[in-house]
Amino acid sequence: AIIRSIQVLPDFEADRITVEVRFHNPKSFQTEAAFDITNPAGETGTLVKNIRLDKENGSYLMTLQLDGGKVWSPATPALYTLQVRMPGSPVAKVRFGMRGVEVEKGTFRLNHVGFKVRGTGYPWFFNFQHGLPAHPVDHRAELTAIREAGFNVVRGFGAPLPPHILDLCDELGLLVLQET
């Protein structure tokens, strides 16, 4: 059996996360999995759980409480890392921020606070008029320049932004409107 994906749904108000781990597994699969959570300060805690999946290609759902959770915002982009280890499977890892987004009567709110959106497009693969660059593109430098120019939201053009770009946006404090 192997880990197929991890989804994390943060609840910043209650300092907890709901974790869904999806597997490629045989019927009546049982194992011991280790869940390592690293907080923004670099401290790691581990929870070991016995997992039993009755159905083939099943999923495991659990809720974890975080003590003193740090909230993600553009000013303080605090990120957590969840890593799942299981015998016979590659380690699966996901980074996430404790945040909540809502729109109420035309007002965009981030973590229940009104938020002024200052956005721009980010054509991450159209920079060279559909040609290949002569040298590797430094996406971190590009996104840092966007952030320093006063923008707090980027929208990818033409296609969904890939995971490494989304990770950089999380690190730099940029919200993303993802193309569908």
Side-chain angles (χ1 to χ4, degrees), residues 1 10 12-13 36 49 59-60 79 90 126 150:
F12 78 97
E13 294 171 315
D36 304 318
K49 298 287 273 184
S59 63
Y60 181 76
L79 292 174
F126 289 120

mmCIF file of all heavy atoms in Angstrom, residues 1 10 12-13 36 49 59-60 79 90 126 150:
data_model
loop_
_atom_site.group_PDB
_atom_site.id
_atom_site.type_symbol
_atom_site.label_atom_id
_atom_site.label_comp_id
_atom_site.label_asym_id
_atom_site.label_seq_id
_atom_site.Cartn_x
_atom_site.Cartn_y
_atom_site.Cartn_z
ATOM 1 N N ALA A 1 0.841 -1.184 0.000
ATOM 2 C CA ALA A 1 0.000 0.000 0.000
ATOM 3 C C ALA A 1 0.878 1.235 0.000
ATOM 4 O O ALA A 1 1.966 1.229 0.576
ATOM 5 C CB ALA A 1 -0.916 -0.010 1.212
ATOM 6 N N PRO A 10 -7.716 23.319 7.654
ATOM 7 C CA PRO A 10 -7.456 23.988 8.929
ATOM 8 C C PRO A 10 -8.693 24.711 9.462
ATOM 9 O O PRO A 10 -9.498 25.236 8.703
ATOM 10 C CB PRO A 10 -6.349 24.985 8.599
ATOM 11 C CG PRO A 10 -6.406 25.188 7.132
ATOM 12 C CD PRO A 10 -7.108 24.018 6.525
ATOM 13 N N PHE A 12 -8.747 27.623 11.959
ATOM 14 C CA PHE A 12 -7.873 28.503 12.728
ATOM 15 C C PHE A 12 -8.511 28.978 14.020
ATOM 16 O O PHE A 12 -7.812 29.283 14.985
ATOM 17 C CB PHE A 12 -7.394 29.684 11.872
ATOM 18 C CG PHE A 12 -8.401 30.777 11.688
ATOM 19 C CD1 PHE A 12 -8.377 31.899 12.489
ATOM 20 C CD2 PHE A 12 -9.372 30.689 10.701
ATOM 21 C CE1 PHE A 12 -9.299 32.911 12.312
ATOM 22 C CE2 PHE A 12 -10.296 31.690 10.513
ATOM 23 C CZ PHE A 12 -10.265 32.809 11.331
ATOM 24 N N GLU A 13 -9.843 29.043 14.076
ATOM 25 C CA GLU A 13 -10.511 29.491 15.293
ATOM 26 C C GLU A 13 -10.384 28.480 16.424
ATOM 27 O O GLU A 13 -10.263 28.845 17.581
ATOM 28 C CB GLU A 13 -11.986 29.761 15.016
ATOM 29 C CG GLU A 13 -12.218 30.920 14.079
ATOM 30 C CD GLU A 13 -13.666 31.032 13.661
ATOM 31 O OE1 GLU A 13 -14.278 29.986 13.328
ATOM 32 O OE2 GLU A 13 -14.171 32.154 13.666
ATOM 33 N N ASP A 36 3.870 13.436 11.506
ATOM 34 C CA ASP A 36 4.802 14.427 12.065
ATOM 35 C C ASP A 36 4.302 15.814 11.700
ATOM 36 O O ASP A 36 4.136 16.122 10.514
ATOM 37 C CB ASP A 36 6.207 14.239 11.484
ATOM 38 C CG ASP A 36 6.755 12.843 11.693
ATOM 39 O OD1 ASP A 36 6.569 12.301 12.790
ATOM 40 O OD2 ASP A 36 7.376 12.304 10.752
ATOM 41 N N LYS A 49 -0.501 6.318 14.755
ATOM 42 C CA LYS A 49 -1.861 5.776 14.741
ATOM 43 C C LYS A 49 -1.882 4.427 14.030
ATOM 44 O O LYS A 49 -1.191 4.245 13.034
ATOM 45 C CB LYS A 49 -2.819 6.719 13.991
ATOM 46 C CG LYS A 49 -2.984 8.087 14.593
ATOM 47 C CD LYS A 49 -3.801 8.070 15.839
ATOM 48 C CE LYS A 49 -5.259 8.189 15.527
ATOM 49 N NZ LYS A 49 -6.109 8.276 16.685
ATOM 50 N N SER A 59 -9.617 5.758 2.388
ATOM 51 C CA SER A 59 -9.069 6.970 2.988
ATOM 52 C C SER A 59 -9.251 6.910 4.498
ATOM 53 O O SER A 59 -10.121 6.214 5.011
ATOM 54 C CB SER A 59 -9.716 8.219 2.405
ATOM 55 O OG SER A 59 -11.085 8.249 2.699
ATOM 56 N N TYR A 60 -8.395 7.667 5.190
ATOM 57 C CA TYR A 60 -8.401 7.725 6.645
ATOM 58 C C TYR A 60 -8.584 9.185 7.028
ATOM 59 O O TYR A 60 -7.878 10.063 6.527
ATOM 60 C CB TYR A 60 -7.082 7.168 7.196
ATOM 61 C CG TYR A 60 -6.997 7.169 8.692
ATOM 62 C CD1 TYR A 60 -7.682 6.227 9.448
ATOM 63 C CD2 TYR A 60 -6.227 8.113 9.352
ATOM 64 C CE1 TYR A 60 -7.605 6.223 10.832
ATOM 65 C CE2 TYR A 60 -6.132 8.119 10.726
ATOM 66 C CZ TYR A 60 -6.819 7.173 11.468
ATOM 67 O OH TYR A 60 -6.735 7.190 12.834
ATOM 68 N N LEU A 79 3.681 28.941 8.393
ATOM 69 C CA LEU A 79 3.344 27.682 7.731
ATOM 70 C C LEU A 79 3.701 26.478 8.599
ATOM 71 O O LEU A 79 4.735 26.459 9.266
ATOM 72 C CB LEU A 79 4.083 27.559 6.398
ATOM 73 C CG LEU A 79 3.650 28.535 5.320
ATOM 74 C CD1 LEU A 79 4.560 28.420 4.107
ATOM 75 C CD2 LEU A 79 2.213 28.291 4.925
ATOM 76 N N PRO A 90 6.491 5.750 0.136
ATOM 77 C CA PRO A 90 7.265 6.996 0.221
ATOM 78 C C PRO A 90 6.605 7.956 1.213
ATOM 79 O O PRO A 90 5.393 7.931 1.385
ATOM 80 C CB PRO A 90 7.202 7.557 -1.206
ATOM 81 C CG PRO A 90 6.802 6.410 -2.074
ATOM 82 C CD PRO A 90 6.004 5.493 -1.219
ATOM 83 N N PHE A 126 4.235 32.126 -19.415
ATOM 84 C CA PHE A 126 4.171 32.927 -20.641
ATOM 85 C C PHE A 126 5.206 34.048 -20.658
ATOM 86 O O PHE A 126 5.150 34.931 -21.474
ATOM 87 C CB PHE A 126 2.784 33.554 -20.813
ATOM 88 C CG PHE A 126 1.723 32.560 -21.170
ATOM 89 C CD1 PHE A 126 0.621 32.385 -20.349
ATOM 90 C CD2 PHE A 126 1.810 31.802 -22.312
ATOM 91 C CE1 PHE A 126 -0.369 31.479 -20.684
ATOM 92 C CE2 PHE A 126 0.832 30.883 -22.650
ATOM 93 C CZ PHE A 126 -0.261 30.726 -21.831
ATOM 94 N N GLY A 150 3.716 45.839 -3.656
ATOM 95 C CA GLY A 150 2.504 46.166 -2.917
ATOM 96 C C GLY A 150 1.313 45.265 -3.191
ATOM 97 O O GLY A 150 0.219 45.499 -2.675
#
